[in-house]
Amino acid sequence: MVSEEDLKKAFGSVWWRFLEFEITRSRLICELAGNPVSALVLQVVAYHNLTLVQATVDGDTYSEIRSKWEKNDLVGASDLPLKLTYASIAELTGIDKETVRRSVKKLAEQGWFKVDYQTGIHYNPSQSNQDKLVVFNEWELAQVGRLIRRLNNAQNAD
């Protein structure tokens, strides 16, 4: 496990790789969502969904969470006090609430979300969108793994 002090020592040698990862990740999520604002909104709704998934899974392994995510089966999640609204997305992102509303509406029309005025905004992708996000997640996993390996290599070079 890399300590914070180890990270500070080795980060200089991988910082540019981290930024490269962030830029590429941002570009890819913008391609999925259509534009940077929608990309950020999509990430917040996906994050909210992940929070619900993790609350309804017995274990915490990637495979258990991923399986539940892919099924998009959140039986019991409606009992959780986590309602996602335009206002909560606006607060999390710093994006104007009306802009969030328009973005959510557009993403819902594209098959990413379901909007229910009593229970809030829910990740509810079409199969095509779910498949795209799973491929994106696999890319993230591989790239984070590469970044960790580079960080470890930089730490071991000291």
Side-chain angles (χ1 to χ4, degrees):
M1 191 66 126
V2 176
S3 71
E4 185 175 346
E5 192 58 39
D6 291 337
L7 179 60
K8 287 178 182 177
K9 288 178 187 173
F11 195 64
S13 63
V14 296
W15 194 353
W16 69 279
R17 297 282 190 178
F18 172 75
L19 291 175
E20 180 181 62
F21 165 76
E22 284 290 301
I23 292 165
T24 304
R25 184 185 181 283
S26 295
R27 180 182 52 81
L28 292 173
I29 196 76
C30 286
E31 289 173 6
L32 282 176
N35 63 62
V37 169
S38 292
L40 190 51
V41 170
L42 176 57
Q43 289 177 92
V44 169
V45 177
Y47 168 76
H48 180 261
N49 188 66
L50 181 59
T51 302
L52 295 175
V53 166
Q54 287 179 307
T56 60
V57 172
D58 291 331
D60 62 356
T61 68
Y62 173 70
S63 62
E64 290 168 313
I65 293 168
R66 166 95 184 257
S67 176
K68 186 82 167 184
W69 174 279
E70 286 184 29
K71 291 177 187 170
N72 202 30
D73 172 25
L74 297 176
V75 175
S78 60
D79 299 334
L80 299 170
L82 299 171
K83 181 178 177 182
L84 192 59
T85 64
Y86 302 130
S88 59
I89 294 172
E91 185 178 323
L92 280 168
T93 62
I95 300 170
D96 175 76
K97 185 175 157 186
E98 179 56 26
T99 303
V100 168
R101 187 195 65 75
R102 286 191 306 267
S103 183
V104 167
K105 181 180 179 195
K106 186 174 182 177
L107 288 164
E109 289 169 359
Q110 294 172 351
W112 285 104
F113 307 148
K114 178 181 172 191
V115 180
D116 181 288
Y117 293 99
Q118 289 188 336
T119 61
I121 301 159
H122 303 277
Y123 178 73
N124 189 31
S126 65
Q127 188 59 53
S128 171
N129 286 342
Q130 178 74 327
D131 293 345
K132 290 175 191 174
L133 205 56
V134 166
V135 168
F136 176 73
N137 179 249
E138 287 298 314
W139 176 87
E140 287 177 307
L141 187 61
Q143 296 306 310
V144 168
R146 280 182 58 195
L147 193 59
I148 290 169
R149 281 191 304 279
R150 287 179 172 144
L151 186 59
N152 286 334
N153 290 341
Q155 179 186 359
N156 293 334
D158 287 341

